[in-house]
Amino acid sequence: MNWASVESDLQLRLPEDYKQLTAAYDPGCFANFLWVYDPRHTSVHVNLLGPARDRTRAQIQDDYARESCPAPVDPQFLLPCGGTDNGEDFFLITDPEDDPDAWTIIVNQARGPGRYTFDGNLTRFLVAVFSGSTTVPQFPEGLLQGDISFKPSDLDQWSPPLPPVTPPVSTDEIRIWARANGYEVPVRGRIPADVRQAWEQADESH
């Protein structure tokens, strides 16, 4: 694995534990549930450098801007590094940028605003989850009751659910609609979350 090339593409140095983890395991699935993104994977859906990373980050950024499912940190610091068969994503919190071995983990909720943070690196997160010492609310209760072994994948056979693509919306359009419907909105700056939600509901009904 040419980690220098991978890190150059990401414009980030990666944690040593992540490099060792992906070097020790072929791309594959833990407990028939959880996948770690790997730059060796031929499927773009679970390749660390694939489009799934950019789509997931874009969706989190959009949620953050709309204050609908805000992440506890600015999405610019979130690097998608894995996912589950239920549609959850987990991320490296890339802060501080110059100390990747200090990065921690955050897990989102597949269909909701839930977020879970883990104060440790990716390897420690996996050990904590599969040893039962850490319970992630977004993961199924019976996760540890089945087979928790690692199964190498066939590389290109798995396609996890991708977040929906949200088309960009002009804030001027929302301001015009809001004023026409009796809402007070600032001339510039962030549109209040309740106004944005009302606009989305009205737009969906058309």
Side-chain angles (χ1 to χ4, degrees), residues 30-44:
F30 292 88
N32 293 313
F33 179 70
L34 186 151
W35 301 75
V36 174
Y37 292 174
D38 189 315
R40 296 172 296 174
H41 212 301
T42 57
S43 168
V44 296

Side-chain angles (χ1 to χ4, degrees), residues 172-183 195 198-199 202 206:
D172 290 338
E173 178 183 342
I174 301 176
R175 292 181 209 280
I176 293 171
W177 176 90
R179 295 188 184 107
N181 287 273
Y183 291 94
V195 175
W199 177 83
H206 294 141

Side-chain angles (χ1 to χ4, degrees), residues 185-202:
V185 290
V187 175
R188 59 180 61 86
R190 180 173 293 178
I191 294 174
D194 60 331
V195 175
R196 180 80 182 230
Q197 184 177 10
W199 177 83
E200 289 176 348
Q201 291 173 349

Side-chain angles (χ1 to χ4, degrees), residues 82-120:
T84 74
D85 281 351
N86 281 353
E88 289 90 9
D89 299 294
F90 50 99
F91 307 82
L92 292 167
I93 302 176
T94 62
D95 184 37
E97 184 175 317
D98 60 354
D99 188 8
D101 294 328
W103 294 352
T104 55
I105 302 295
I106 185 171
V107 182
N108 77 345
Q109 184 177 354
R111 288 165 287 278
R115 300 283 187 268
Y116 174 81
T117 55
F118 178 80
D119 189 19

